[in-house]
Amino acid sequence: MTGYASAQLEAAGPDRTAPSLGLELRSVNSRFLDLALRLPEDLRMHEPALRALLSAGLRRGKVELRAHVEMEDGARLTEPPVQLLEQVARVQQAVRAVLPDAAPFRMVDVLRLGAGAGASRQDLGPALLALARRALDELSEARAREGARLAQMLRERVQQLRSLAEQAGPLVPQLVQQQRERFLERWREAMQLAEGAAVPEAAQERALTEATAYAIRIDVAEELTRLVAHLDEIERLLARGGEVGKRLDFLIQELHREANTLGSKSATMELTRIGVDMKVLIEQMREQVQNLE
């Protein structure tokens, strides 16, 4: 299921020296859960915790999480503490005592050290997870709204399939009766041409046997019964809610199998049309069911 969510944590403190965090979650359709995390180097250590959080809250979808950390301009230009400057000077003297040709520290290096001392990014773990939970809740709400729309679409397709099944039901007995009469008529014509006499009783029995065998071959009552049972189960799952995507996926496969059998047994254009219409509806359902959790 698709969805988008974002969360921000602005820089805090009177001098706004703390970093600001930003996080985005994107989700697109997928039959399985596929997580992709895009984190800056200083936040990579929190990737296992983020994966565990997302895996606990999501079951399906290709989900991408992006996070970024920004320091406020004021924080970048904050004067480094005197103790830090003294420590840098001592370190530089120690290094040059061993390596006289070593380049001295640059101002940008000292400022970066000062910013790092003022706000360690290793302390961003709790804030990052809190942002991820907030974004996950927002994403789940968006996916729930989409799920409600998909469920309504599935209910509409179920009703259309029921209507087609009701249309197909009366056609089979009529077709069987027509075929019985047609078989008998052909046998009578054949026997009259061959012997010029009335059709023998044995020949008539054979014609009825052939008509019965044909009726069995074209009877789709069993397929229609199973199809309706699958539709009942789909409606029950939609009403229950929860994680029903994989169960619905299986039921859609069963619907497709029954529609294929009905089409292969079709003996009239009307049944063929009904079978084709059923397959179109079932395929529409299959595409959407793969998006549901």
Side-chain angles (χ1 to χ4, degrees):
M1 296 170 60
T2 60
Y4 172 83
S6 63
Q8 303 289 330
L9 178 64
E10 299 298 335
D15 54 357
R16 300 180 68 81
T17 57
S20 61
L21 278 174
L23 187 143
E24 292 183 347
L25 273 178
R26 300 175 185 270
S27 172
V28 295
N29 299 327
S30 178
R31 295 185 62 185
F32 307 98
L33 181 60
D34 182 10
L35 298 178
L37 275 64
R38 307 284 186 264
L39 302 174
E41 192 65 33
D42 293 333
L43 297 180
R44 290 284 179 85
M45 66 185 70
H46 305 297
E47 181 171 340
L50 290 172
R51 285 187 176 274
L53 177 66
L54 296 177
S55 298
L58 303 171
R59 293 294 178 270
R60 274 185 170 187
K62 186 175 182 180
V63 181
E64 180 183 27
L65 182 147
R66 289 182 178 270
H68 60 272
V69 184
E70 294 183 358
M71 299 295 295
E72 293 294 325
D73 293 338
R76 294 192 184 98
L77 299 178
T78 299
E79 182 179 354
V82 175
Q83 295 85 350
L84 176 64
L85 295 176
E86 293 174 349
Q87 184 180 2
V88 169
R90 289 195 300 269
V91 171
Q92 182 168 268
Q93 291 175 2
V95 171
R96 300 197 69 175
V98 179
L99 301 172
D101 296 331
F105 283 114
R106 297 175 303 168
M107 182 180 297
V108 66
D109 298 326
V110 176
L111 291 176
R112 185 181 298 113
L113 289 172
S120 175
R121 292 187 181 184
Q122 293 184 358
D123 298 331
L124 296 178
L128 181 64
L129 291 177
L131 281 182
R133 292 189 188 94
R134 190 193 310 171
L136 181 59
D137 290 341
E138 183 180 337
L139 180 68
S140 298
E141 292 176 1
R143 286 159 62 102
R145 291 191 294 269
E146 182 185 6
R149 292 192 294 269
L150 292 179
Q152 180 59 32
M153 185 279 292
L154 291 175
R155 292 189 182 96
E156 294 173 357
R157 299 300 185 273
V158 166
Q159 292 304 318
Q160 293 172 0
L161 286 171
R162 287 188 185 278
S163 176
L164 290 173
E166 292 174 357
Q167 296 175 30
L171 295 177
V172 177
Q174 298 174 10
L175 181 61
V176 170
Q177 183 60 31
Q178 292 174 4
Q179 290 299 323
R180 285 171 62 90
E181 295 175 358
R182 189 176 304 171
F183 266 98
L184 287 175
E185 183 64 28
R186 288 180 178 177
W187 272 95
R188 291 191 187 97
E189 292 176 356
M191 295 304 296
Q192 288 173 1
L193 290 174
E195 301 178 4
V199 59
E201 185 175 347
Q204 184 174 352
E205 290 296 329
R206 183 175 177 182
L208 290 174
T209 301
E210 293 290 337
T212 301
Y214 179 79
I216 293 174
R217 289 197 302 271
I218 68 172
D219 187 10
V220 294
E222 185 177 351
E223 286 74 15
L224 292 175
T225 299
R226 287 197 296 265
L227 187 142
V228 172
H230 296 328
L231 295 177
D232 292 340
E233 181 65 11
I234 289 174
E235 286 191 323
R236 187 188 70 81
L237 290 175
L238 292 176
R240 189 190 70 180
E243 297 177 13
V244 298
K246 293 184 178 179
R247 292 182 176 87
L248 289 175
D249 198 9
F250 171 76
L251 289 172
I252 295 300
Q253 295 178 19
E254 295 300 308
L255 285 178
H256 203 278
R257 183 177 293 110
E258 302 304 339
N260 278 336
T261 305
L262 186 146
S264 65
K265 289 185 174 182
S266 174
T268 64
M269 290 299 298
E270 184 64 17
L271 271 179
T272 300
R273 180 193 64 79
I274 290 175
V276 171
D277 290 345
M278 282 184 172
K279 289 181 181 180
V280 171
L281 293 173
I282 293 170
E283 182 63 21
Q284 292 174 356
M285 295 173 69
R286 186 189 67 81
E287 293 176 355
Q288 298 300 331
V289 160
Q290 292 181 356
N291 303 331
L292 291 174
E293 287 194 358

